[in-house]
Amino acid sequence: MTEESQSTGNGRGTTAAGAESLSVTDNRTGQSYEVEIEDGTVRAMDFRQIKVDEDDFGLMTYDPGYSNTASCRSAITYIDGEKGILEHRGIPIEQLCEHSSYLEVAYLLNYGRLPTEDELNRWTYEITHHTYVHENIKNFMNGFRHDANPMGMLQASVGALSTFYPEAQDIDDEYQRHVAAVRLIAKMPTLAAFAYRHSLGLPYVYPDNDLSYAGNFLSMLFKMAEPKYEPDPRLEKALDVLFILHADHEQNCSAAAVRVVGSSRVDPFSAIAAGCAGLYGPLHGGANVAVLRMLQRIGTTDNVPDFLEGVKQGDERLMGFGHRVYKNYDPRARIIRSHVDEVLEATNKESPLLDIAIELEKRALDDDYFTSRKLYPNVDFYSGLIYEALGIPTDAFTVMFAIPRTSGWMAQWMEMMDDPELKIARPRQIYTGPRDADYVPIDER
Ligand code: CMC
């Protein structure tokens, strides 16, 4: 930023050096400044030069919830929230769901391009052969109460993995980064399935290397006494598509948590455990649980109008609706919706909750309260119905989100590690508390 007493622009809003710029006048001092605009963005640190006098700290920007602050440059995921577009490395999500597989998408996110056939085979082999966890992790899982929330178990055990792989602390080593990504993507379904079986008091099922990533996960969840679990290909495909849809979503709460924690140069297992914690919350990955509970509470389609009235009065929130970025139909919700019927057919189930969800969507999209606020179904609106049909307990839904999101978190972490502008995350605050207060001895309070 340059300080100026008059505009130095060339008439097209550019600096003398030709860069696009913003002119700011500080009405406290009458001083004008020229701030460079790059990629539609101004640098917050440029405003620090704006001071009333030499002792002034300088101007800060205030942005609770980071609604309008870009925290990094990223080439992983592109979202156009107004148009409802989602692309990974430039490829539309619709094409990935139709032609790709979750493991291929995980490679794409982490390594920046689609793999060749050899690369994909090697990657799949590596992931498949890292699915086992140390037996002590199993013992660690056994320590949880029988009714422990599976997501709580998952985040704790992912954090615990960092103690099993101390070499992962060598975060500048390319190989260590790669093998940590492989381990995390490979072991997440194992940990998730162990957490699920623990909650039911069932013995843990070890990974089956003959099965696909999704097929093996179904086996670890549902295999009983049969010598070999044969996954239904329709469920395997639907689960793989769900995994693709949840793989990454740029700088959301959990990805931001991974980057913030990772910026301290902690190992990736610990950074991903922070991502799990972020995802756990009901406004983020926990929303799929909240949606199902909401549908159960509504009970029948007849109760939908009253429920929506409660939402409009501010007594309720329509879970699975609305998004910080999408101001249009979430493209992931559209794809998930198209798989619900197929899963119900494969599992031979009827879902009265689906009728309630359809009625809610129809009425909400016909109501000015929702349309004027651009509230549309998001990824969580229909995903819970598929998980329910698969026989996943409601408490374990967020774990189903965490499994695929691991590839996105790792991609965000890897990209951050190579960012020349990386600094430890350390936001500022506006202090509102007292100053110069004196300590009061306890017997005088
Ligand atoms: N039901 C009713 N009203 C809503 C909803 C909702 N689901 N979402 C937003 N609004 C209203 C909100 O009350 C506000 O109204 P007003 O302007 O009158 O105060 C307006 O819409 C703007 O909402 P906001 O809370 O300022 O928006 P945000 O960007 O801070 O919140 C959100 C985004 C996703 C947290 C929010 O839409 C929400 O709570 N949705 C329900 C939870 C949910 O489905 N979360 C999953 C998100 S997608 C998956 C993921 O990323 O994890």
Side-chain angles (χ1 to χ4, degrees):
M1 179 163 92
T2 56
E3 201 177 303
E4 53 165 24
S5 50
Q6 63 200 30
S7 170
T8 55
N10 64 5
R12 288 177 45 245
T14 59
T15 61
E20 284 186 305
S21 71
L22 172 76
S23 290
V24 181
T25 302
D26 184 346
N27 293 326
R28 298 170 302 176
T29 60
Q31 191 67 251
S32 289
Y33 302 83
E34 199 174 61
V35 181
E36 193 176 316
I37 300 175
E38 197 184 352
D39 298 324
T41 310
V42 290
R43 285 189 176 254
M45 276 305 284
D46 279 352
F47 289 82
R48 187 70 72 73
Q49 319 306 320
I50 303 180
K51 301 178 175 194
V52 279
D53 56 43
E54 269 313 299
D55 296 336
D56 186 3
F57 180 76
L59 212 58
M60 290 195 297
T61 54
Y62 178 56
D63 187 9
Y66 309 116
S67 302
N68 196 35
T69 295
S71 61
C72 62
R73 291 177 177 277
S74 183
I76 301 171
T77 293
Y78 173 81
I79 301 176
D80 183 330
E82 292 297 327
K83 296 198 181 116
I85 293 173
L86 168 62
E87 296 169 355
H88 294 314
R89 304 285 185 187
I91 306 176
I93 191 69
E94 291 80 5
Q95 286 189 32
L96 292 171
C97 285
E98 197 176 337
H99 304 295
S100 188
S101 65
Y102 168 65
L103 284 189
E104 189 178 51
V105 171
Y107 185 99
L108 173 73
L109 293 171
N110 278 274
Y111 293 103
R113 58 176 174 78
L114 289 169
T116 62
E117 199 173 343
D118 277 356
E119 286 167 337
L120 181 59
N121 289 341
R122 207 171 327 123
W123 173 247
T124 306
Y125 181 91
E126 279 188 287
I127 303 277
T128 310
H129 289 81
H130 277 89
T131 47
Y132 273 63
V133 292
H134 193 289
E135 283 291 291
N136 286 358
I137 284 279
K138 221 180 72 180
N139 300 337
F140 176 79
M141 287 257 177
N142 275 331
F144 285 102
R145 269 173 59 132
H146 70 282
D147 57 353
N149 185 292
M151 196 58 196
M153 292 176 72
L154 186 75
Q155 64 166 341
S157 48
V158 171
L161 282 184
S162 77
T163 66
F164 288 81
Y165 303 107
E167 63 272 29
Q169 287 167 17
D170 194 358
I171 53 175
D172 293 321
D173 184 279
E174 281 299 319
Y175 175 72
Q176 289 306 334
R177 285 187 200 177
H178 169 77
V179 79
V182 168
R183 284 184 171 133
L184 275 158
I185 295 168
K187 293 182 201 310
M188 211 60 153
T190 315
L191 296 175
F194 281 13
Y196 162 83
R197 306 268 306 192
H198 178 88
S199 64
L200 298 179
L202 291 169
Y204 303 143
V205 173
Y206 286 102
D208 181 342
N209 286 358
D210 293 340
L211 298 176
S212 70
Y213 188 82
N216 170 52
F217 180 55
L218 289 169
S219 164
M220 290 190 293
L221 288 178
F222 301 127
K223 184 170 182 292
M224 296 303 285
E226 66 273 37
K228 179 106 189 149
Y229 179 85
E230 306 277 357
D232 182 319
R234 292 168 298 179
L235 299 184
E236 214 175 337
K237 173 71 189 158
L239 195 55
D240 200 61
V241 168
L242 275 176
F243 284 170
I244 294 174
L245 289 170
H246 287 88
D248 191 57
H249 214 231
E250 50 117 314
Q251 308 314 313
N252 50 76
C253 173
S254 57
V258 169
R259 282 185 181 256
V260 168
V261 172
S263 75
S264 73
R265 295 182 62 82
V266 74
D267 70 273
F269 293 95
S270 302
I272 301 301
C276 288
L279 195 70
Y280 200 172
L283 293 189
H284 189 14
N288 50 21
V289 176
V291 170
L292 211 85
R293 298 237 160 88
M294 173 189 77
L295 296 175
Q296 285 162 343
R297 200 155 46 85
I298 295 172
T300 77
T301 47
D302 294 345
N303 295 334
V304 166
D306 279 354
F307 176 81
L308 288 178
E309 212 33 60
V311 172
K312 286 155 68 174
Q313 296 308 318
D315 304 332
E316 305 267 6
R317 189 151 268 239
L318 178 51
M319 299 309 284
F321 256 65
H323 199 277
R324 174 62 61 79
V325 180
Y326 291 121
K327 300 301 166 201
N328 201 325
Y329 212 102
D330 180 338
R332 301 169 299 171
R334 206 185 297 281
I335 299 172
I336 292 178
R337 171 71 190 92
S338 71
H339 284 271
V340 176
D341 298 322
E342 181 184 293
V343 170
L344 290 174
E345 191 192 306
T347 52
N348 247 332
K349 287 197 177 142
E350 281 179 8
S351 175
L353 298 186
L354 174 62
D355 297 334
I356 300 172
I358 291 171
E359 185 68 14
L360 273 174
E361 178 185 337
K362 196 172 107 225
R363 285 183 178 266
L365 296 187
D366 208 23
D367 190 312
D368 187 55
Y369 175 93
F370 298 95
T371 49
S372 64
R373 288 171 176 77
K374 300 190 175 174
L375 301 173
Y376 294 89
N378 61 47
V379 68
D380 290 313
F381 194 64
Y382 287 108
S383 61
L385 294 169
I386 295 193
Y387 300 143
E388 200 208 19
L390 288 173
I392 312 277
T394 314
D395 271 348
F397 286 5
T398 312
V399 160
M400 303 296 291
F401 192 153
I403 295 171
R405 185 51 60 88
T406 302
S407 59
W409 289 331
M410 272 314 287
Q412 300 285 341
W413 179 83
M414 291 229 209
E415 181 177 70
M416 180 186 73
M417 295 313 298
D418 282 334
D419 186 343
E421 290 194 279
L422 174 62
K423 279 176 165 216
I424 187 165
R426 204 315 185 177
R428 291 280 173 180
Q429 65 169 6
I430 301 171
Y431 179 68
T432 59
R435 293 287 323 278
D436 296 330
D438 287 322
Y439 179 79
V440 181
I442 197 158
D443 54 352
E444 291 174 26
R445 286 175 221 161

